Amino acid sequence: MELNEAREKINEIDEQLVKLFSSRMELSSKIAEYKAEKNLPILDRTREREVLNKVADLSGPELENYSKVLFSTLFDLSRSYQNRLTKSESPLGAQIQEALENTPKQFPTKVVAACQGVEGAYSQQACDKIFSLPNIMYFRTFEGVFQAVEKGLCQYGILPIENSTAGSVNAVYDLMSRYHFYIARSIRLRIEHSLLARTAVPLSKIKEVVSHEQAISQCSAFLKNHPEIKVTVVENTAAAAKMVAESDRDDLAAISSRSCAELYGLSTLSDTVQNSENNFTRFICISKKLEIYPGAGKTSLMLTVPHRPGSLYGVIARIAALGMNLTKLESRPIPGKDFEFMFYFDLDASIYDPEVVRLICELDSDLDEFAYLGSYSELF
């Protein structure tokens, strides 16, 4: 068979598939009406399993897995369509609409914000870029920032979640599932690490370096070239600089920022200690209340999926069907549950699109654990 002839036959089959798909969805709507009248759930896992086994047998060994993927996708689409037809406005949809209508049009400038670390921390630098007049409260741990926002001690909290070279800040992702919060804004901050000491001693005199684990990872090549130097992890790069300034040791150095050198009166031994000059950390600004400011083009979600093959694929397929770009997918193990994971999604998706809101509400309804973390803009 010639290529053009084969394509013509495929076109004919595609036309039939579209007609059959439309007929199937029409019947799904009638089933949805019946289930609504009888107060029956949309999801019928037993029925879906029976259909999957049947189509696998009909397809034969070579195509059975492909047919399962196809029909699993059909089930997802059918359930989504049925939910749309039968469900009234969800509480989450109403909450999003309220935030869109009532959030001020101007992002605040003078606020009380929580940051992890001490003065000079990169979180503080990110905070100063997000707010022009912040009153900053410092906390020793990331959990302290979450708690400050949750308890209303601070209106906002600033937290790092990923670095362009060292990857995700796992400690923050692990805390996300334990606290209730929303993301109001994010920022990508350029990171420039320096090696700081009390006095301008030769590098050969340095016996120990202190810094945060992320900064140590971002400077791994430099540290590998100096195996004689002991590396000690502390809670923050600014705390490391402060530790050096308050010590009486000339053989102790910190990997920290240039601003910390000025802030704590330290000498810069080297400005070339990080692996890459293209080093950025992404920070999120969290709030207790859902706030959606103008220009919100990024949306974040957190969810779990049923512990069975294809569950995560089904969620991603629904996102892809709306043409949304998935820019981040992070998985973290759920404490106390073997081989079960919480998934974090970042999407380039405008919350002003009704289809996006509808998808969020459907996921909230369909999944046992789901959290809409907010829609926001990102500063650079």
Side-chain angles (χ1 to χ4, degrees), residues 286-299:
I286 65 171
S287 63
K288 185 176 182 179
K289 180 183 176 183
L290 177 60
E291 302 172 355
I292 304 177
Y293 290 92
K298 183 180 285 291
T299 292

Side-chain angles (χ1 to χ4, degrees), residues 195 203-204 206 220-231:
L195 188 67
L203 181 59
S204 59
I206 299 300
S220 58
F222 169 81
L223 295 171
K224 185 178 180 180
N225 288 332
H226 296 278
E228 74 282 2
I229 297 178
K230 177 185 176 182
V231 178

Side-chain angles (χ1 to χ4, degrees), residues 50-107:
E50 289 173 353
V51 174
L52 287 177
N53 289 332
K54 181 179 178 181
V55 297
D57 291 340
L58 291 172
S59 300
E62 186 176 354
L63 297 177
E64 66 177 15
N65 288 331
Y66 296 97
S67 65
K68 284 184 176 180
V69 171
L70 172 61
F71 275 81
S72 293
T73 303
L74 279 176
F75 293 153
D76 286 336
L77 294 173
S78 180
R79 284 197 303 272
S80 175
Y81 187 50
Q82 289 178 343
N83 282 325
R84 183 178 304 182
L85 293 173
T86 60
K87 290 193 174 178
S88 58
E89 183 180 13
S90 72
L92 178 56
Q95 183 186 13
I96 292 172
Q97 187 59 41
E98 181 183 1
L100 287 169
E101 294 173 356
N102 297 331
T103 301
K105 302 306 177 187
Q106 186 72 30
F107 198 76

Side-chain angles (χ1 to χ4, degrees), residues 2 11 49 97 100 105 139 155 171 173 190 212 220 224 229 291 329 347 359 369 376:
E2 294 294 329
N11 288 340
R49 191 178 297 109
Q97 187 59 41
L100 287 169
K105 302 306 177 187
F139 295 84
Q155 186 179 357
Y173 279 107
R190 186 178 185 87
H212 186 265
S220 58
K224 185 178 180 180
I229 297 178
E291 302 172 355
L329 175 56
L347 310 170
L359 174 65
E369 294 186 52
Y376 51 95

Side-chain angles (χ1 to χ4, degrees), residues 40-252:
L40 297 173
I42 294 296
L43 176 62
D44 186 344
R45 190 63 67 191
T46 301
R47 164 67 177 166
E48 290 186 2
R49 191 178 297 109
E50 289 173 353
V51 174
L52 287 177
N53 289 332
K54 181 179 178 181
V55 297
D57 291 340
L58 291 172
S59 300
E62 186 176 354
L63 297 177
E64 66 177 15
N65 288 331
Y66 296 97
S67 65
K68 284 184 176 180
V69 171
L70 172 61
F71 275 81
S72 293
T73 303
L74 279 176
F75 293 153
D76 286 336
L77 294 173
S78 180
R79 284 197 303 272
S80 175
Y81 187 50
Q82 289 178 343
N83 282 325
R84 183 178 304 182
L85 293 173
T86 60
K87 290 193 174 178
S88 58
E89 183 180 13
S90 72
L92 178 56
Q95 183 186 13
I96 292 172
Q97 187 59 41
E98 181 183 1
L100 287 169
E101 294 173 356
N102 297 331
T103 301
K105 302 306 177 187
Q106 186 72 30
F107 198 76
T109 57
K110 190 174 182 180
V111 303
V112 178
C115 289
Q116 185 262 348
V118 296
E119 189 72 21
Y122 285 112
S123 291
Q124 173 247 304
Q125 296 178 37
C127 186
D128 283 340
K129 288 184 178 294
I130 293 174
F131 306 105
S132 58
L133 294 169
N135 180 7
I136 301 177
M137 294 178 64
Y138 290 102
F139 295 84
R140 189 168 178 225
T141 64
F142 294 135
E143 186 164 20
V145 175
F146 278 105
Q147 291 176 343
V149 173
E150 187 175 78
K151 294 177 181 178
L153 297 175
C154 299
Q155 186 179 357
Y156 298 99
I158 308 299
L159 293 158
I161 59 170
E162 62 179 316
N163 177 265
S164 56
T165 59
S168 300
V169 184
N170 292 332
V172 173
Y173 279 107
D174 289 340
L175 288 165
M176 282 182 170
S177 61
R178 294 167 51 187
Y179 290 90
H180 180 74
F181 68 95
Y182 297 100
I183 302 174
R185 183 150 290 188
S186 65
I187 184 172
R188 292 181 184 269
L189 183 72
R190 186 178 185 87
I191 304 299
E192 296 178 306
H193 292 308
S194 299
L195 188 67
L196 312 179
R198 288 178 65 248
T199 58
V201 299
L203 181 59
S204 59
K205 298 292 184 180
I206 299 300
K207 297 292 189 297
E208 183 179 4
V209 166
V210 292
S211 194
H212 186 265
E213 60 183 350
Q214 279 271 328
I216 291 169
S217 176
Q218 294 160 29
C219 302
S220 58
F222 169 81
L223 295 171
K224 185 178 180 180
N225 288 332
H226 296 278
E228 74 282 2
I229 297 178
K230 177 185 176 182
V231 178
T232 301
V233 175
V234 297
E235 65 267 20
N236 188 270
T237 55
K242 187 178 180 182
M243 182 186 301
V244 170
E246 293 175 349
S247 76
D248 57 359
R249 295 174 55 186
D250 289 331
D251 63 349
L252 179 67

